[in-house]
Amino acid sequence: MTESKAGWPLYEVFVRPRRGLNHVHVGSLHAPDDRMALLAARDLYTRRNEGVSLWVVRSDAITASTPDERDPFFEPSGDKVYRHPTFYDIPEDVPHI
Amino acid sequence: MVTAEVAEPVPASTQEDRFEAVVAAEQRIEPRDWMPDAYRATLIRQIAQHAHSEIIGMQPEGNWLTRAPSLRRKAILLAKAQDEAGHGLYLYAAAETLGVDRAELTEKLISGRQKYSSIFNYPTLTFADVGVIGWLVDGAAICNQVPLCRCSYGPYARAMVRICKEESFHQRQGYELLMTLMRGTDAQRRMVQDAVDRWWWPSLMMFGPSDADSPNTARSMAWRIKRHTNDELRRRFVDMTVPQAQHLGVTLPDPELRWNEERGGWDFGEPDWAELTRVIHGQGPCNAQRIERRRAAHEEGAWVREAAVAYAAKRSAEQTAVRSGHPESEHTEHVRSEHTEQENGK
């Protein structure tokens, strides 16, 4: 058992289910390199035609915000209700708006 | 739609309150959230045990891969074994989000420090066992797993959604296999009944000890890891399975099995809990064989894992050389890109 804890890097897997849809994160896997990650992702996440395109990206290449929902990071959008269409009162009888 | 999500901050003062509030609001806990140590430990133990069960679960049926009676049955069985491997990997990945290492979990399985489902310590004596495993064992697994799709821990719940979608094929192929045998000769029908006789009680034991002997259930339910008690799930399984057995034309080996008009469900006998304890503690018919097989596969596969790492290191070194304009490497790069094109064209 020579593989160490720092063995195969972790990859995140994204699948595009059909043309016209975004790639969506589906899970992760370990692989020795990018090519093997792609093959493993195919075998692991698309055994039943779940996708037409796959992305794999090393987890350590992802930059993420902190998990705390109360993080001030998201504050700028919190008090701007006027960005939503429902903020504006328009009379019922005005059509197509 | 957008505003509704923004307008629901979880009111809480401490981390623990916040955790409790998220769970109570039926929201999901995600990997980098704060969580109580005991919650983390419970999940690691449960998810690891679940992952190990999927991996070990390939063995009993794997014995029949080379002995399947037709190409059709062989292809089905192979696809099922591949699914089990896939399920194991989804679950190991979910466990890793809690801060444990895959290699460490494998080591704990092989050294017996972590367990797997007791059901896989029984032997598969005939091909009818393959059908009964699909019908009863995977049927019981589905009963257990469907509520786990709503587990409070996000990565586990998401893995379970994926797994449950695939389990249905496992159960149906098993039932269809048994229907085919039941339409066959008397000997084939006896084979099915024999398999049902051997697997029925171990399948009921898959739901774990009775509620009275399941001290952790209350806490797991409070944390919304678990949604139903062991006995509730066991009853649900029996109610679902009895009509299937009747349709198949087999007898479930329980003299106490009878319809309870009042309750609108089936009453059934008590599993042999002493047997469950024995099997969990290593005295089942196949415990040693299963672990030995897993150890051998892991150790005999070591060179493949090493070769993959060596190859990745070599290629990475080549690419660095190309980028720094080393003339000798240009040929290699050329060949490699052609190779890639070819593969992409497939």
Side-chain angles (χ1 to χ4, degrees):
Chain A
M1 270 155 279
T2 48
E3 85 270 31
S4 62
K5 294 195 175 187
W8 292 2
L10 189 65
Y11 284 83
E12 300 300 324
V13 181
F14 300 81
V15 175
R16 182 201 292 283
R18 292 196 307 276
R19 287 178 174 281
L21 297 179
N22 287 320
H23 285 77
V24 174
H25 182 245
V26 291
S28 54
L29 53 81
H30 288 277
D33 60 30
D34 297 354
R35 178 79 190 141
M36 288 297 286
L38 205 53
L39 293 174
R42 178 199 61 190
D43 293 345
L44 191 53
Y45 291 105
T46 62
R47 284 194 302 280
R48 289 176 175 79
N49 305 317
E50 286 93 339
V52 295
S53 169
L54 269 175
W55 289 347
V56 290
V57 59
R58 279 183 61 149
S59 309
D60 58 16
I62 293 178
T63 307
S65 61
T66 67
D68 193 339
E69 286 166 41
R70 292 168 307 167
D71 193 303
F73 185 72
F74 292 107
E75 210 172 273
S77 78
D79 58 355
K80 296 179 180 60
V81 280
Y82 48 84
R83 282 178 173 172
H84 299 284
T86 46
F87 179 72
Y88 303 94
D89 285 330
I90 308 286
E92 292 268 336
D93 53 355
V94 180
H96 309 304
I97 184 164
Chain B
M1 184 180 76
V2 182
T3 40
E5 292 213 18
V6 177
E8 238 179 301
V10 180
S13 47
T14 68
Q15 286 177 315
E16 178 129 32
D17 289 343
R18 215 175 109 64
F19 167 85
E20 298 287 351
V22 169
V23 169
E26 286 292 336
Q27 294 182 357
R28 297 287 175 261
I29 302 296
E30 294 295 342
R32 299 191 303 155
D33 289 339
W34 183 90
M35 61 188 88
D37 290 343
Y39 177 83
R40 186 184 298 274
T42 298
L43 276 168
I44 290 175
R45 187 178 47 78
Q46 182 171 336
I47 300 173
Q49 182 167 327
H50 198 159
H52 297 329
S53 300
E54 299 282 357
I55 297 298
I56 295 290
M58 287 190 279
Q59 291 186 35
E61 293 172 285
N63 287 337
W64 287 95
L65 279 172
T66 56
R67 303 172 177 89
S70 68
L71 187 56
R72 179 176 183 270
R73 291 293 169 198
K74 188 172 185 158
I76 292 169
L77 197 50
L78 198 54
K80 184 170 188 282
Q82 285 174 320
D83 275 354
E84 313 290 7
H87 297 176
L89 292 179
Y90 304 151
L91 289 163
Y92 282 131
E96 283 189 299
T97 63
L98 292 158
V100 285
D101 180 80
R102 174 90 49 95
E104 187 185 317
L105 295 178
T106 301
E107 191 51 44
K108 281 187 174 161
L109 168 64
I110 291 174
S111 61
R113 279 175 294 157
Q114 279 177 344
K115 304 205 178 305
Y116 54 89
S117 175
S118 56
I119 194 78
F120 301 117
N121 291 315
Y122 292 87
T124 41
L125 303 181
T126 72
F127 196 69
D129 289 34
V130 171
V132 169
I133 287 178
W135 172 39
L136 295 180
V137 175
D138 292 310
I142 290 171
C143 255
N144 260 330
Q145 290 172 350
V146 167
L148 286 173
C149 296
R150 291 184 294 128
C151 165
S152 60
Y153 187 59
Y156 191 27
R158 291 191 287 274
M160 292 319 305
V161 169
R162 194 169 277 280
I163 290 173
C164 284
K165 273 189 202 159
E166 301 181 349
E167 275 312 328
S168 173
F169 141 59
H170 297 184
Q171 194 187 20
R172 289 174 66 108
Q173 65 81 34
Y175 196 78
E176 188 228 40
L177 191 164
L178 297 175
M179 290 199 312
T180 309
L181 282 173
M182 292 304 283
R183 285 195 297 266
T185 63
D186 283 344
Q188 286 173 316
R189 278 186 284 276
R190 277 197 301 276
M191 201 162 89
V192 173
Q193 185 60 56
D194 167 65
V196 170
D197 290 346
R198 283 181 289 109
W199 288 94
W200 174 249
W201 290 108
S203 298
L204 290 192
M205 293 175 199
M206 285 176 69
F207 296 93
S210 71
D211 293 350
D213 287 318
S214 181
N216 298 326
T217 291
R219 195 173 62 170
S220 276
M221 285 179 72
W223 277 334
R224 317 226 175 165
I225 295 174
K226 232 174 142 157
R227 298 282 175 166
H228 308 281
T229 71
N230 296 351
D231 287 337
E232 281 167 14
L233 291 168
R234 198 173 357 253
R235 272 197 298 277
R236 182 178 296 185
F237 173 69
V238 172
D239 286 343
M240 277 167 34
T241 307
V242 171
Q244 294 167 352
Q246 289 168 340
H247 195 278
L248 200 55
V250 295
T251 309
L252 297 174
D254 180 357
E256 294 176 51
L257 191 70
R258 59 181 55 87
W259 179 252
N260 182 328
E261 191 66 53
E262 224 172 281
R263 195 166 65 75
W266 290 86
D267 288 338
F268 53 97
E270 189 90 352
D272 179 355
W273 300 121
E275 176 180 325
L276 177 62
T277 308
R278 274 198 309 278
V279 177
I280 287 177
H281 290 101
Q283 268 95 63
C286 301
N287 295 55
Q289 181 189 335
R290 299 291 186 237
I291 289 295
E292 195 38 50
R293 183 76 202 89
R294 182 69 193 93
R295 177 200 302 282
H298 186 66
E299 287 172 3
E300 286 162 17
W303 72 270
V304 179
R305 296 190 293 275
E306 284 162 25
V309 170
Y311 179 67
K314 191 175 144 196
R315 275 194 44 172
S316 155
E318 279 170 7
Q319 276 168 345
T320 314
V322 169
R323 266 189 229 111
S324 59
H326 203 285
E328 236 176 284
S329 308
E330 266 167 37
H331 177 66
T332 322
E333 174 61 23
H334 177 66
V335 170
R336 205 176 52 76
S337 60
E338 235 178 27
H339 181 58
T340 312
E341 263 168 46
Q342 223 174 32
E343 280 168 332
N344 287 347
K346 272 199 297 216

